[in-house]
Amino acid sequence: MDARLTLEKRIKAELQSYDGVMSVYADDFHGNVISMGIDEKFETASTIKTYILACLFDQVEKGRGDLDQILTYRAEHFVDGSGVLCSLEAGASMRVRDIAALMIIVSDNVATNMMIDYLGLDKINACIQRLGCKDTMLHNPIHFERYEKLGTTTVRDYASIFTRLARGQLISQEADRQMVEILKKQHYNSMIVKDFPPVYMDQDNTDDILIQVASKSGSMDACRNDGGIIYTPYGPYVLVMFNKEFHDAMYYPAHPATVFGARVSRLLLDQFLALEGRFVL
């Protein structure tokens, strides 16, 4: 029996009673990849913001964008939902780098619309394709009352962004470092870390194992997604989990997609730590 199947079988057993569809992609950077439903199409929800961030830094790297340029929040950017800018009046101005940080760290929807307006939807999609994410597309700005779709992607595409970020091979080493630092500050990573032992996450109370996560999640009525880089003392690994076709559209911490995703994430963490940096011996 191929030893690689063992962890995948444990994940499938964990998901046996899950009322939904979950696709999983994980890479330990030692040639061991866990993949389930990697070409299944999913609504991106706010995970599209990671692609937009990458496209911003790609444009800056090419001299076609400026992180210190000042942009103004206009009325047409307004959308309700996550973030803080929707609580401000139109007219506020700030640097591109600050708008991008808000887009990721608090998943700010207004900031996202400002970035889409700044970069251009067609240019974002062209950049996504250049980055090799052939099954990913940003369909519309965020306007829930106008559009049903925001974006489409796969766990394969999303994981490819994080694997290259971890290696410093997505845009450039410096650009990738800056993006990772933004993603480490992201507030909504409960699916990945919900079942992690708290001591691993508390920098003030551990001398042994400290885990950091650079990630971006996304949730809409029809999906619950999370993905990113998990940094451990044994090195990093990448984990992406996308969920759909569950029956409970409400958003709350104990949603089945979050609960089962957290169980899968803990299985992978335990294996990675037990084998000191690998999923498979």
Side-chain angles (χ1 to χ4, degrees):
M1 182 178 70
D2 187 344
R4 293 172 186 266
L5 296 177
T6 302
L7 188 51
E8 290 181 0
K9 285 183 176 179
R10 290 173 64 197
I11 291 171
K12 289 176 181 177
E14 191 66 58
L15 296 177
Q16 192 67 37
S17 59
Y18 174 45
D19 181 21
V21 172
M22 183 187 299
S23 288
V24 179
Y25 192 105
D27 188 335
D28 70 359
F29 296 104
H30 288 284
N32 302 304
V33 172
I34 306 299
S35 59
M36 298 168 53
I38 57 174
D39 294 316
E40 185 81 17
K41 297 282 187 72
F42 286 82
E43 163 64 54
T44 61
S46 288
T47 62
I48 195 67
K49 297 169 185 177
T50 304
Y51 294 102
I52 296 171
L53 183 72
C55 292
L56 169 64
F57 276 86
D58 177 70
Q59 291 298 290
V60 170
E61 190 78 11
K62 289 179 168 64
R64 299 171 188 164
D66 182 356
L67 292 176
D68 291 316
Q69 184 173 340
I70 301 298
L71 301 183
T72 299
Y73 165 27
R74 301 195 305 272
E76 57 263 34
H77 297 140
F78 175 80
V79 59
D80 216 341
S82 60
V84 295
L85 292 182
C86 63
S87 299
L88 305 181
E89 292 185 5
S93 296
M94 63 195 74
R95 298 177 302 175
V96 167
R97 68 172 72 245
D98 300 322
I99 296 166
L102 287 171
M103 177 178 70
I104 298 297
I105 294 171
V106 293
S107 203
D108 196 294
N109 287 338
V110 172
T112 304
N113 282 344
M114 293 174 72
M115 290 307 311
I116 294 171
D117 188 35
Y118 176 62
L119 295 169
L121 190 146
D122 290 341
K123 288 183 179 178
I124 291 170
N125 281 322
C127 177
I128 289 171
Q129 294 299 301
R130 284 198 309 275
L131 291 174
C133 300
K134 302 302 183 185
D135 294 315
T136 299
M137 177 177 288
L138 170 64
H139 298 290
N140 302 291
I142 307 177
H143 288 294
F144 301 115
E145 72 282 2
R146 297 183 209 168
Y147 312 116
E148 290 186 6
K149 278 188 171 184
L150 175 56
T152 305
T153 193
T154 65
V155 293
R156 184 202 295 271
D157 276 2
Y158 202 48
S160 77
I161 295 293
F162 288 105
T163 54
R164 284 177 284 170
L165 275 176
R167 292 180 170 123
Q169 297 173 348
L170 184 63
I171 306 299
S172 70
Q173 286 195 345
E174 177 55 24
D176 293 0
R177 183 195 66 77
Q178 291 184 53
M179 284 187 279
V180 166
E181 288 306 308
I182 294 171
L183 290 158
K184 281 182 177 178
K185 298 172 184 174
Q186 198 262 140
H187 288 187
Y188 307 109
N189 56 11
S190 58
M191 189 183 299
I192 289 178
V193 305
K194 181 177 181 294
D195 284 357
F196 283 10
V199 69
Y200 290 174
M201 309 299 294
D202 189 343
Q203 192 165 5
D204 296 325
N205 291 300
T206 183
D207 296 322
D208 300 317
I209 296 178
L210 177 65
I211 293 173
Q212 291 184 299
V213 176
S215 66
K216 183 71 192 81
S217 61
S219 296
M220 289 173 65
D221 286 352
C223 68
R224 299 287 187 278
N225 307 326
D226 208 349
I229 310 163
I230 296 86
Y231 292 93
T232 82
Y234 301 116
Y237 65 93
V238 164
L239 171 60
V240 172
M241 298 172 290
F242 281 12
N243 295 267
K244 64 180 179 180
E245 296 179 22
F246 44 76
H247 291 96
D248 190 347
M250 292 182 65
Y251 182 84
Y252 55 98
H255 190 281
T258 302
V259 169
F260 279 89
R263 291 177 185 174
V264 170
S265 180
R266 178 62 186 270
L267 278 174
L268 288 162
L269 174 72
D270 287 349
Q271 184 94 339
F272 191 83
L273 295 179
L275 299 182
E276 298 185 352
R278 295 173 180 267
F279 294 144
V280 179
L281 281 174

